[in-house]
Each structure stands twice: as C-alpha cells, then as structure tokens.
Amino acid sequence: VSTKLSNTLFKEHFTMPKLNSIKNQYNFNITGIQYNFIDNKILTSHAIFKVFLKLGTTAFGGPASHVAMMEEEIVNKRNWLSREKFLDLYGATNLIPGPNSTELAIHLSLERGGVLGLIVGGISFIFPAMLSVLALAIFYTKYGEIPSLSGILIGIKPVIISIVFLALFRLSKTLLKNKINFLFFLIA
C-alpha cells in the first residue's frame, strides 16, 4: 500500500522531462513550479551523431553535394543555425586547406555541441565514408578487371555528376542573391 501511495504522490508532484527539439531545453514541473535545464550534452551529442552519420552515409558527389545536404539538414530542417551563420562557417572552411565538407561538418558539430560535439560529429561523418571507400577499393582490386563490372562502374559516373550539379544549383540559389555575389561567382 505504501508503494502505491508513494508512486501516486510522485506522479502528482513530478512530471517527466520533455525535450524541446529546437533549443534542447528540458522542462521539469515539480509541485507546480517550472524548472528548465538547457543544453543536455548527451542528447545534443546524440543528435549530432545521428545527423552526421546520416550525412556521412548518404551524401555522395563530393564536397558540393555534402554542403548542400548539410544546409538542408542543419539550417532548413533542424534550425540549428541561421543561413547567414552557415554561410559564414562555409566561407571560413574555404580558407583552411583540406576537405571543405569534412571541415564544415566538424565546425558545425563544434557550434552545436562544443568539443564533445566536434569529436562525435567528426567521427560520425568521416567513418562511413572511410568504410565505403575501403569497401570500394577492395571490390575494385578484386573485380575491377571483369568487363561486365567495368561497364557498371562507368555507368555510375553520370549519376554522380548529376548529383554534384544538383547540389551546386541548390547552393547557388542561396549564395547568388545579389549582383555583387554573382559577379564574384563569374570571376572565380
């Protein structure tokens, strides 16, 4: 009887936390008083892991398509950053030598989750690409000389090129909103 009573009292005076997905804010209600706990690192890192694992697994076509997919996922769907902040980070990654999309993924992860987010986002974005390239390299070294399979490998190239052009088109709609940006685009 005392267990039922204590469970009932607990349920009446304490509601389980609920996550507000945009702000990562927990809301507690204890005996009618509202408490907020903002930025739970574990849930933030989990969200970063899911997003960048998805992007690292499904994004094909090189940095241009990666950046377009990151913009769609981070800015449009999840509202983690404003479009202007995203473009500032993208511009900063263009100044650093190395793979732009990987640098951008790591920088976005740092912005969202701090140093822990940087580590989680970087690993979850890089690891699927590393595994897929390793698998393709093993496949190619074993079966690349077979005539029927070489035709399949040649047929993949137009698909990848179309993905890259689609990504560039989406990104250009964001970047080329005024004449000055378009002029710099033509010069570059």
Side-chain angles (χ1 to χ4, degrees):
V1 173
S2 65
T3 308
K4 283 186 177 181
L5 181 59
S6 62
N7 283 343
T8 305
L9 289 173
F10 179 79
K11 287 178 183 176
E12 287 177 6
H13 296 287
F14 181 79
T15 58
M16 293 305 290
K18 296 178 181 175
L19 175 65
N20 178 341
S21 63
I22 294 176
K23 296 180 183 175
N24 267 359
Q25 177 176 349
Y26 277 98
N27 299 316
F28 292 91
N29 187 349
I30 302 174
T31 62
I33 301 171
Q34 188 72 25
Y35 296 94
N36 295 320
F37 177 75
I38 299 174
D39 197 29
N40 183 311
K41 295 282 186 204
I42 293 173
L43 286 175
T44 302
S45 297
H46 181 69
I48 290 170
F49 175 78
K50 284 180 13 182
V51 166
F52 287 103
L53 183 67
K54 173 186 165 188
L55 290 171
T57 304
T58 61
F60 292 98
S65 64
H66 290 166
V67 170
M69 291 179 77
M70 284 182 209
E71 181 184 19
E72 180 65 28
E73 189 71 34
I74 303 294
V75 175
N76 298 337
K77 287 184 182 176
R78 296 185 182 264
N79 200 22
W80 285 358
L81 289 173
S82 68
R83 178 166 274 113
E84 291 77 22
K85 179 71 174 177
F86 179 85
L87 291 175
D88 287 344
L89 293 176
Y90 183 51
T93 61
N94 284 321
L95 298 175
I96 305 168
N100 290 349
S101 60
T102 303
E103 293 166 355
L104 183 60
I106 291 170
H107 206 144
L108 291 169
S109 300
L110 176 66
E111 286 287 320
R112 182 66 179 168
V115 175
L116 180 61
L118 176 142
I119 294 167
V120 170
I123 290 172
S124 61
F125 185 73
I126 294 168
F127 195 69
M130 184 210 57
L131 285 180
S132 65
V133 168
L134 179 64
L136 285 173
I138 291 170
F139 177 80
Y140 185 74
T141 56
K142 285 187 177 186
Y143 305 108
E145 297 298 320
I146 299 172
S148 61
L149 289 180
S150 64
I152 292 172
L153 293 174
I154 290 171
I156 291 174
K157 290 178 185 178
V159 173
I160 292 173
I161 290 171
S162 66
I163 290 171
V164 170
F165 279 126
L166 179 63
L168 287 172
F169 176 72
R170 286 182 182 166
L171 195 57
S172 68
K173 288 194 309 187
T174 302
L175 293 173
L176 305 176
K177 289 190 174 183
N178 60 40
K179 292 178 183 179
I180 294 173
N181 288 350
F182 187 72
L183 179 65
F184 282 122
F185 173 75
L186 291 176
I187 292 171

